[in-house]
Amino acid sequence: MDKKKISVISSLVVLAIAIMFLVYSLQYSFVGIIGPGPGVMPFALSLILLILAVSYMITAFRGKDSVGSMPDRKGLLSILMILVYMAIYVVLLKPLGSVLAGIVFLFLLYRTSYRWYVALGISAIVSIFLFVVFRVLLEVNLPINAFGF
């Protein structure tokens, strides 16, 4: 597969994802009680992603991008596993709450790079830190389990 074709296909995939997120972001309110609502950030991020995908597609058609080739088998497997881990996180988020689902997700990501106990420690610290920042300090309602975290 030639370089230009790879770039165009990848930009189309990112563009499709951006459009999907943009459409779903329209389901949320843009106005909240005291300011911007829950739909503002997903809409803005998906719009930025859409713009970047279109600009990359234009660059690809001009033949000025920097893509050398598709990822090898190991790279594709890594990408696939990250997508599987993200799906596991989404499935576990409601029953386990944000802290435990975050620990599982991060542990799965880190387990190949660190010893299991280091990966578990980093996962727990990051997940608890994010929970404290968002739930306690910013008062954002995160999914919680029966134990309150």
Side-chain angles (χ1 to χ4, degrees):
M1 196 176 288
D2 68 330
K3 183 177 167 179
K4 186 175 182 178
K5 191 173 184 180
I6 292 169
S7 299
V8 170
I9 290 172
S10 62
S11 64
L12 286 172
V13 169
V14 173
L15 182 65
I17 292 169
I19 291 170
M20 181 184 70
F21 281 117
L22 186 71
V23 169
Y24 280 114
S25 73
L26 296 174
Q27 296 176 0
Y28 298 101
S29 172
F30 281 70
V31 179
I33 297 171
I34 59 171
V40 173
M41 185 62 79
F43 179 79
L45 291 175
S46 57
L47 189 62
I48 290 169
L49 185 62
L50 188 136
I51 291 168
L52 290 173
V54 169
S55 67
Y56 183 68
M57 188 181 307
I58 292 169
T59 304
F61 277 124
R62 292 182 180 166
K64 296 181 180 179
D65 65 330
S66 61
V67 173
S69 64
M70 289 289 286
D72 61 356
R73 177 170 281 178
K74 185 178 178 183
L76 287 174
L77 182 62
S78 295
I79 293 169
L80 177 66
M81 292 311 298
I82 290 171
L83 293 173
V84 168
Y85 299 157
M86 290 168 58
I88 291 170
Y89 174 76
V90 170
V91 169
L92 295 178
L93 189 58
K94 194 166 188 171
L96 294 183
S98 60
V99 173
L100 293 178
I103 290 172
V104 170
F105 173 69
L106 292 175
F107 177 76
L108 291 172
L109 284 178
Y110 294 150
R111 69 186 170 86
T112 57
S113 300
Y114 300 100
R115 296 180 188 255
W116 72 268
Y117 53 88
V118 174
L120 186 61
I122 293 170
S123 303
I125 290 168
V126 169
S127 296
I128 292 168
F129 174 77
L130 290 174
F131 182 80
V132 169
V133 168
F134 283 95
R135 182 75 182 206
V136 178
L137 300 176
L138 299 175
E139 297 179 2
V140 174
N141 288 329
L142 296 174
I144 56 173
N145 57 25
F147 301 108
F149 58 89

